[in-house]
Amino acid sequence: MGTQSSQRQTQARGRAICRTCKSCRQKKVKCDGQHPKCGTCRRKNQDCEYPRDGRKTAVRAKKEDIKSLEEQVEELKGQIRRRATVENASSTDNIHPHETLDHSNSGSRCSRGCPNEPKCDQSLQDQLTCQNNGGKTCPDPDPLDGRQIQVYGATSLLPSYLEAPADCQTKENNEDSFLRSITRDRLIAFSAIIRQKETIIYSTPSIAANIDFDGASVDMAMHLLELHWNRLHFMYLLTYRPLIMDSLFNNGPYMNKLLLNAIYLQSSLYSDRVSLRSGPDDSRTMGMAFYDRFKTLLIHYVDKPSLPTVVALLTCGACLLQYGKQSASWVYCGMAYRMIIDLGYHLEDPRSSQGREDARLSALDKEVRRRVYWGAYANDKFQSLYLGRPPGLQQSHSNVPRDLFDSYEELEEWKPYIDPQARLDDISVPVYPGRPSYALSTFQCLLQLSVITEAIISAFYSTKDAKAPEHDLLQSRQTVKAQLDRWRETLPAHLLFDPKRDETPPPHQMTLYTTYWTLVILTEQPFLARGHFEFTAIPELQNELKKKCIEASLEIRDLIEAYRKAFSLRRAQYGISYAMYSAVIVLLQHTDQDCDEYTEAIRFFWLALLEYQNGCGHGLKGPLRLLKSLMRRVEKVVKRMDIDHPGTTESLASNDTQFGIEAILPTETFEQGEAWSESWLNVETDDLFLADDTIFGFFAQE
């Protein structure tokens, strides 16, 4: 009996362990399987271990367990289907654009897409918000029971039609990934279909003739819209193209005449058509007819906040900086920020404007509101830098996620827009191969810089924080530096760019780098400005600060040179001019060092700013006058270039003689070669100023 029991144990053990020992298995050599040690292990006098055979020791699942798991899977599938049905009914259901753009029956067609109207071809945004209202006209996205949607805080005595979610930290990552993917796919499909239908406007004049372009010809309106979508739209993604174009074609709620004229005005700066000038011989009047129309229309929209009105105010306010109308720019954008708060766009997922209390905003509404809020936020930060004024929107007052679902534009090809009326042999039109726009990823990176900008302004350029203890300010500097370093280290690979090696990316991607280096200067510069803080940095720290500022200035020079060669500076965004101005001011402080590179860079920036000013930077008259005064005090600069007559160069070519250098920058203030032994930051002259003794702001005393 004992022998049989031992044999059974040996057989069981043989079934439970592998026939090859661990050592032979790893070396992939034949094992004789002897126990307790195989022959190979005995010869090498090493441990021999036979691992357990997982195939023989695995426990089979019981039929009852399998059946239970199958039931759980079916139950989860049912929950997903039920959630998808509810979601489709309340937010992403019926995502189909217009079946036709035929406006021949527009008089009998419901512009809101009512389901009971036989001739109604519902657009996507209509169907997202339109429920069966018994044949009544569907409500606009913003009104609620005849009242304006308005948001009031907890301390207000006024009622709140929209409330912030109970948990302000609830974000999109709490949503079901399956439903999010459905929403993303449908939004992208909608964008693709609307983009295809835009081509109908060009090929079918009868359809275009029925679209209300507010007095502009079809050719001119489409020219200005194409300019907008090609350049200006990519800066902040404020204008959500599929909704705006669909509303334009079908009289939808996301476009009004105020926004249309704001786009016309902004695009006019980037057009070469002389017919857009109010004065044929004065390029500074380009598009002014649209601005007059904008101001006339504003009185009809200012007391009725809506999404298109918000976008119109932001669009107009941003471009007025380049027209030199800084006060109007600040006021219009300020009105837009107030409307954003009033409408609750700073709060994610407010209650729907429809009558049902449990109805949520549609997928399109969420997408466009996120874009408007974050576009306004970014515009606010960089406009604040440009003007040297405190921002109007604070990140801490909102809970809007930065995720955008519609990624149609991310990989769309980008090429500079060429006016069909331009001459084919026009050498001013650069040859540029198409490249992916990377619109969303670029915008996300810009938003990160916007958040850092808010921190820089708060820490170093506010009245309160400028008087903070030295330790706190130096700690804030280290924090901001770490944020900037982290931004650069985590930049997506497809957005990496070296101006000395790589081909120049599209303008909106270039702005990322010029903005980054400008923020580096703004972080270090206040510690060099005597009297800005209540302490003076130690010499070792000052040397570090100067080195970093000079590095940033020279990096900006390389970026601007690449930008100019690829696109020219006559149509650059105003943030480019701010970066150039910041860089040249830094270099002017260090011309006492025997470095010809600094002087040559100053000359380059001077000519580049003039080129930009002769293009769409009409508002640089004051800053350039001040810069000219500073340059005339630097002997090395005076010797290297004739500031008053820099010569006829390609960058200064202009047919507008009245708008030349002498007209905008008359000789004044200083004699050439006047000594400048002290830093310009310490000169107390009315003509030499910068906000808070720093480069923060162009127009502190204009």
Side-chain angles (χ1 to χ4, degrees):
M1 290 296 293
T3 303
Q4 293 178 354
S5 175
S6 176
Q7 290 177 348
R8 285 196 297 269
Q9 291 177 358
T10 301
Q11 292 174 355
R13 184 182 63 180
R15 290 194 298 268
I17 64 175
C18 296
R19 296 181 179 180
T20 304
C21 73
K22 186 175 181 181
S23 176
C24 293
R25 181 183 295 271
Q26 291 176 345
K27 296 177 181 178
K28 297 184 179 180
V29 298
K30 187 175 181 180
C31 181
D32 58 17
Q34 296 183 16
H35 293 274
K37 280 189 177 184
C38 69
T40 303
C41 291
R42 283 200 305 271
R43 286 194 302 272
K44 295 184 178 182
N45 193 25
Q46 62 184 16
D47 294 336
C48 185
E49 176 184 354
Y50 286 89
R52 296 177 65 84
D53 190 343
R55 297 172 300 177
K56 304 294 180 62
T57 58
V59 179
R60 289 189 176 184
K62 297 181 180 179
K63 292 183 178 180
E64 294 81 7
D65 295 336
I66 295 176
K67 185 177 180 180
S68 175
L69 290 173
E70 289 176 345
E71 291 174 352
Q72 293 180 32
V73 169
E74 291 300 323
E75 182 180 356
L76 290 174
K77 287 182 178 179
Q79 292 178 4
I80 291 176
R81 285 193 293 268
R82 287 192 294 273
R83 288 192 60 184
T85 302
V86 172
E87 183 73 12
N88 291 345
S90 63
S91 67
T92 60
D93 195 21
N94 299 323
I95 299 190
H96 301 288
H98 281 274
E99 295 297 331
T100 177
L101 291 175
D102 184 6
H103 286 251
S104 58
N105 296 322
S106 59
S108 60
R109 185 176 64 82
C110 169
S111 63
R112 292 285 177 257
C114 304
N116 295 338
E117 189 68 35
K119 293 185 179 182
C120 175
D121 294 320
Q122 288 179 301
S123 65
L124 173 57
Q125 73 269 22
D126 295 333
Q127 295 187 32
L128 285 172
T129 56
C130 176
Q131 305 296 329
N132 194 329
N133 294 317
K136 298 180 182 180
T137 302
C138 300
D140 287 343
D142 288 333
L144 174 64
D145 298 333
R147 301 170 292 181
Q148 285 298 114
I149 299 176
Q150 294 170 314
V151 176
Y152 306 105
T155 60
S156 173
L157 296 177
L158 299 174
S160 295
Y161 303 144
L162 297 180
E163 297 289 348
D167 181 7
C168 291
Q169 301 301 319
T170 302
K171 302 295 182 184
E172 284 295 319
N173 55 12
N174 292 330
E175 296 182 5
D176 188 280
S177 59
F178 175 72
L179 297 179
R180 293 179 64 189
S181 65
I182 290 179
T183 300
R184 188 184 306 276
D185 292 344
R186 292 187 173 186
L187 289 175
I188 294 173
F190 172 59
S191 293
I193 293 173
I194 295 301
R195 189 68 60 85
Q196 291 174 340
K197 292 193 174 185
E198 287 182 25
T199 60
I200 300 177
I201 301 300
Y202 297 100
S203 59
T204 314
S206 59
I207 292 180
N210 286 282
I211 298 176
D212 186 1
F213 290 112
D214 196 36
S217 65
V218 175
D219 174 70
M220 182 62 74
M222 297 308 295
H223 164 65
L224 295 174
L225 284 168
E226 286 295 335
L227 272 172
H228 174 79
W229 299 127
N230 184 257
R231 278 288 187 95
L232 306 162
H233 159 71
F234 285 109
M235 288 310 304
Y236 303 127
L237 300 187
L238 266 171
T239 46
Y240 188 32
R241 182 169 184 169
L243 277 187
I244 286 181
M245 295 304 290
D246 191 47
S247 291
L248 178 64
F249 298 156
N250 301 289
N251 192 28
Y254 293 92
M255 169 64 88
N256 59 28
K257 292 183 178 180
L258 192 71
L259 175 55
L260 191 61
N261 281 274
I263 292 176
Y264 289 163
L265 173 64
Q266 188 182 48
S267 298
S268 296
L269 277 171
Y270 294 77
S271 175
D272 291 318
R273 296 191 181 184
V274 179
S275 59
L276 289 170
R277 300 179 183 179
S278 300
D281 298 326
D282 189 354
S283 64
R284 288 171 292 183
T285 64
M286 183 72 77
M288 280 293 100
F290 299 124
Y291 184 46
D292 293 337
R293 175 65 172 158
F294 180 91
K295 291 186 289 184
T296 301
L297 291 169
L298 184 59
I299 60 175
H300 303 292
Y301 293 96
V302 69
D303 59 347
K304 299 176 182 178
S306 67
L307 190 144
T309 299
V310 168
V311 178
L313 289 167
L314 290 169
T315 302
C316 179
C319 75
L320 288 179
L321 282 178
Q322 293 169 281
Y323 278 102
K325 301 180 181 295
Q326 291 79 39
S327 295
S329 170
W330 186 251
V331 169
Y332 286 141
C333 288
M335 293 169 62
Y337 304 147
R338 290 300 181 96
M339 283 190 180
I340 285 174
I341 302 301
D342 191 47
L343 293 169
Y345 294 171
H346 63 304
L347 302 176
E348 170 67 5
D349 220 8
R351 295 293 179 180
S352 171
S353 58
Q354 301 174 35
R356 297 182 306 165
E357 182 178 350
D358 62 339
R360 291 289 184 179
L361 289 174
S362 72
L364 274 173
D365 282 329
K366 284 185 179 181
E367 183 76 5
V368 71
R369 291 185 186 204
R370 288 185 184 184
R371 289 173 180 250
V372 168
Y373 176 77
W374 286 116
Y377 179 86
N379 177 79
D380 177 39
K381 300 305 164 290
F382 300 122
Q383 186 189 46
S384 295
L385 288 182
Y386 195 86
L387 296 176
R389 297 174 182 176
L393 295 175
Q394 303 293 329
Q395 185 190 22
S396 59
H397 297 165
S398 70
N399 70 331
V400 181
R402 300 182 200 172
D403 297 338
L404 300 179
F405 283 172
D406 186 356
S407 60
Y408 178 84
E409 291 177 312
E410 176 69 6
L411 297 179
E412 187 178 23
E413 184 184 43
W414 185 90
K415 288 184 178 180
Y417 170 76
I418 299 177
D419 188 348
Q421 294 187 6
R423 300 191 310 273
L424 296 179
D425 59 346
D426 188 352
I427 61 174
S428 66
V429 179
V431 177
Y432 187 85
R435 297 178 56 134
S437 70
Y438 296 125
L440 266 69
S441 53
T442 301
F443 181 61
Q444 293 292 351
C445 292
L446 186 70
L447 283 183
Q448 295 170 11
L449 289 179
S450 302
V451 173
I452 298 175
T453 300
E454 180 179 338
I456 291 174
I457 294 174
S458 175
F460 308 132
Y461 296 96
S462 65
T463 304
K464 175 183 177 181
D465 291 296
K467 297 181 180 180
E470 178 180 358
H471 175 271
D472 293 348
L473 289 167
L474 292 176
Q475 183 62 43
S476 297
R477 172 179 172 268
Q478 291 298 328
T479 301
V480 171
K481 282 187 59 180
Q483 292 174 340
L484 289 169
D485 291 342
R486 185 163 54 251
W487 180 89
R488 195 177 183 188
E489 292 169 358
T490 59
L491 203 63
H494 60 268
L495 295 180
L496 295 176
F497 169 64
D498 184 347
K500 296 181 179 179
R501 185 185 67 238
D502 303 329
E503 294 184 2
T504 306
H508 57 281
Q509 294 179 31
M510 290 286 287
T511 306
L512 283 180
Y513 285 90
T514 57
T515 302
Y516 166 80
W517 288 112
T518 302
L519 294 183
V520 170
I521 293 175
L522 288 171
T523 302
E524 312 292 11
Q525 183 67 31
F527 293 90
L528 291 172
R530 185 176 303 174
H532 183 72
F533 296 137
E534 295 183 346
F535 67 93
T536 301
I538 60 176
E540 292 80 2
L541 178 57
Q542 289 190 13
N543 292 333
E544 178 186 345
L545 299 171
K546 291 177 182 179
K547 182 179 179 180
K548 197 66 177 178
C549 286
I550 291 174
E551 177 193 2
S553 300
L554 296 178
E555 289 284 351
I556 291 174
R557 187 220 185 278
D558 293 339
L559 291 167
I560 299 302
E561 185 174 21
Y563 188 107
R564 178 178 174 272
K565 289 179 179 178
F567 310 111
S568 89
L569 293 170
R570 298 183 68 249
R571 299 292 180 259
Q573 195 256 359
Y574 70 82
I576 295 291
S577 66
Y578 185 80
M580 291 191 289
Y581 198 89
S582 303
V584 71
I585 289 298
V586 167
L587 294 175
L588 281 171
Q589 299 176 68
H590 302 287
T591 51
D592 56 328
Q593 302 180 23
D594 190 13
C595 184
D596 293 338
E597 183 181 13
Y598 299 170
T599 307
E600 180 57 32
I602 291 171
R603 179 180 182 276
F604 169 83
F605 282 126
W606 174 245
L607 296 178
L609 285 166
L610 288 176
E611 180 180 344
Y612 172 75
Q613 200 271 348
N614 277 341
C616 60
H618 308 328
L620 283 185
K621 179 179 178 180
L624 289 183
R625 183 177 63 248
L626 300 176
L627 181 58
K628 180 181 179 181
S629 298
L630 291 171
M631 293 171 62
R632 291 166 67 86
R633 294 179 66 98
V634 182
E635 185 175 359
K636 289 185 179 181
V637 174
V638 173
K639 289 181 178 180
R640 290 291 299 271
M641 62 179 291
D642 188 343
I643 300 174
D644 297 314
H645 305 87
T648 303
T649 65
E650 178 185 350
S651 63
L652 297 178
S654 175
N655 295 325
D656 301 320
T657 56
Q658 69 178 39
F659 203 50
I661 302 170
E662 292 304 314
I664 62 171
L665 300 173
T667 304
E668 60 182 2
T669 311
F670 301 108
E671 297 296 330
Q672 291 190 5
E674 182 178 347
W676 192 5
S677 58
E678 297 294 332
S679 169
W680 61 272
L681 294 172
N682 304 322
V683 179
E684 297 181 358
T685 307
D686 291 340
D687 286 329
L688 297 177
F689 68 86
L690 292 168
D692 295 330
D693 290 328
T694 69
I695 57 175
F696 178 61
F698 276 176
F699 305 98
Q701 299 180 19
E702 276 223 67

